[in-house]
Amino acid sequence: MSKILVIAEHLNGQLNSATARAVSAAAAVKPEAIDVLVLADSPDSVAAEAAKIDGVAKVLTVARAENAHALAAVLAPQIAKAAEGYSHVFAPSTTFGKDLMPRVAALMGVAQVSDVMSVEDAHTFTRPIYAGNAIVTVKAKADDTVVATIRTASWKAAGGGNSAPVEALELDAAIPTHTRFVGLKQAKSDRPDLQSSPKVISGGRGVGSKENFDIIYKLADKIGAAVGASRAAVDAGYCPNDMQVGQTGKIIAPELYMAFGISGAIQHLTGIKDAGTIVAINKDAEAPIFEIADIGLVGDLFKIIPELEAALA
Ligand SMILES: Cc1cc2nc3c(=O)[nH]c(=O)nc-3n(C[C@H](O)[C@H](O)[C@H](O)COP(=O)(O)OP(=O)(O)OC[C@H]3O[C@@H](n4cnc5c(N)ncnc54)[C@H](O)[C@@H]3O)c2cc1C
């Protein structure tokens, strides 16, 4: 019977909702138990949030000063130790999970299963390859602990009506000293989070400049949307790279995605595959984004955005 350990992702004492999505993937394995592991310097508030996630049997906490910052080199040996007795270890396929889980897998001597989209059985999973253009079924060795990252856009967050017990865990794990925390530089924004917002408005190279990008921000603020961008817009310096959507950016699944001046390269589309309604605005009627858009407007974004704003006023 399976027993799954889900690694909690958190920042500034708050649990990231990606954790509840990883719990949904764990539930699809139909395990005997799902436990959540919180590694932090003071894990109480995060543990209290994790305890509310439906399907969680218990929350385990490891309180150490070294865990104040999410350093993969520091967390991985503790996770490998805590994973003893578990059949699976899951973490979200976010920057946090992608950084952390290969180290966990290596320390445990197993191959990692990446970007799990669906669970076929306890050791068989589907995942995207070729920028999401093909889906492959992968089978992990039945004797090995399954170490996997969960493609968050493919899973709904588990509900929040639980009150699982919280237990402190003492781990005898040697923590390496070769990696230390120096600082965190984080873009600050009052706008909704790109990865969890139900509405996202993105701009591409067609927006033309950093100054012109203000038109995208203004429209987004008007409808309470997060702002994304294509890689071409990021590379051209129109906006910071934490706004990039796509294969090498963020994979998102908003209910509404509006793309302005984005051509629809496969590397961009892989980031919005799971979006609900896709609206594309492009002056080129042949742009590939129209092939996947639910609603397409052929025209100049600098004319269409003021018209949209007027309609919203
Ligand atoms: C390994 C790899 C990984 C990559 N990862 C990513 C990724 O994560 N995310 C990503 O986005 N890309 C990624 N790319 C790049 C991708 O291939 C494209 O180059 C990029 O997505 C193009 O961005 P764009 O659509 O903004 O620009 P373009 O392809 O140049 O398209 C601009 C569009 O704007 C339209 N336009 C211009 N002016 C206007 C106007 N006034 N009004 C309306 N429309 C207008 C044009 O008709 C055109 O269709 C990756 C590429 C590689 C090789």
Side-chain angles (χ1 to χ4, degrees):
M1 203 53 188
S2 310
K3 208 174 157 205
I4 305 184
L5 187 64
V6 174
I7 312 306
E9 175 172 350
H10 57 91
L11 186 66
N12 300 331
Q14 287 190 323
L15 186 70
N16 187 306
S17 61
T19 310
R21 292 174 187 261
V23 169
S24 287
V29 177
K30 299 190 174 57
E32 189 186 320
I34 302 169
D35 297 341
V36 173
L37 178 64
V38 180
L39 301 136
D41 53 347
S42 49
D44 293 355
S45 59
V46 176
E49 284 298 306
K52 292 182 194 157
I53 303 174
D54 288 340
V56 171
K58 65 181 170 195
V59 176
L60 303 167
T61 60
V62 180
R64 291 183 73 141
E66 296 94 327
N67 294 342
H69 305 285
L71 293 183
V74 169
L75 303 184
Q78 299 174 72
I79 294 168
K81 194 84 189 168
E84 286 170 10
Y86 287 90
S87 58
H88 298 64
V89 187
F90 284 2
S93 188
T94 51
T95 309
F96 167 79
K98 284 182 189 170
D99 185 33
L100 177 65
M101 296 306 263
R103 285 179 186 263
V104 174
L107 287 170
M108 297 180 72
V110 301
Q112 179 184 287
V113 181
S114 305
D115 281 335
V116 169
M117 292 178 78
S118 72
V119 173
E120 307 288 300
D121 64 41
H123 293 90
T124 315
F125 310 91
T126 63
R127 58 158 305 209
I129 56 168
Y130 302 127
N133 281 301
I135 310 298
V136 68
T137 303
V138 289
K139 213 170 174 62
K141 279 191 188 168
D143 300 340
D144 286 350
T145 306
V146 178
V147 174
T149 59
I150 306 302
R151 188 177 186 274
T152 49
S154 301
W155 300 90
K156 284 207 163 16
N162 196 4
S163 55
V166 178
E167 279 176 26
L169 198 63
E170 290 292 329
L171 288 177
D172 179 21
I175 292 184
T177 51
H178 53 63
T179 304
R180 67 192 166 80
F181 178 79
V182 174
L184 174 68
K185 282 192 186 158
Q186 207 184 1
K188 283 211 171 75
S189 169
D190 293 334
R191 295 194 173 87
D193 172 54
L194 178 56
Q195 276 184 297
S196 52
S197 175
K199 289 181 255 174
V200 173
I201 293 197
S202 278
R205 203 197 311 262
V207 176
S209 70
K210 189 176 177 183
E211 293 68 34
N212 287 354
F213 229 82
D214 277 347
I215 194 170
I216 302 289
Y217 293 126
K218 266 174 63 190
L219 179 63
D221 290 347
K222 206 150 211 163
I223 65 163
V227 182
S230 70
R231 178 159 161 182
V234 169
D235 288 351
Y238 302 171
C239 48
N241 72 354
D242 62 349
M243 280 169 51
Q244 184 176 317
V245 171
Q247 185 187 344
T248 43
K250 296 198 166 113
I251 308 284
I252 58 173
E255 287 160 25
L256 173 68
Y257 185 75
M258 296 182 81
F260 290 89
I262 293 179
S263 60
I266 52 164
Q267 296 91 354
H268 187 80
L269 301 185
T270 194
I272 55 167
K273 247 175 104 280
D274 297 295
T277 302
I278 297 176
V279 182
I281 292 89
N282 197 303
K283 66 179 183 186
D284 174 8
E286 303 296 318
I289 194 146
F290 288 128
E291 285 166 28
I292 58 110
D294 300 286
I295 300 168
L297 285 174
V298 179
D300 185 339
L301 70 93
F302 296 104
K303 284 196 180 137
I304 289 174
I305 290 183
E307 282 169 16
L308 281 174
E309 284 189 327
L312 288 166

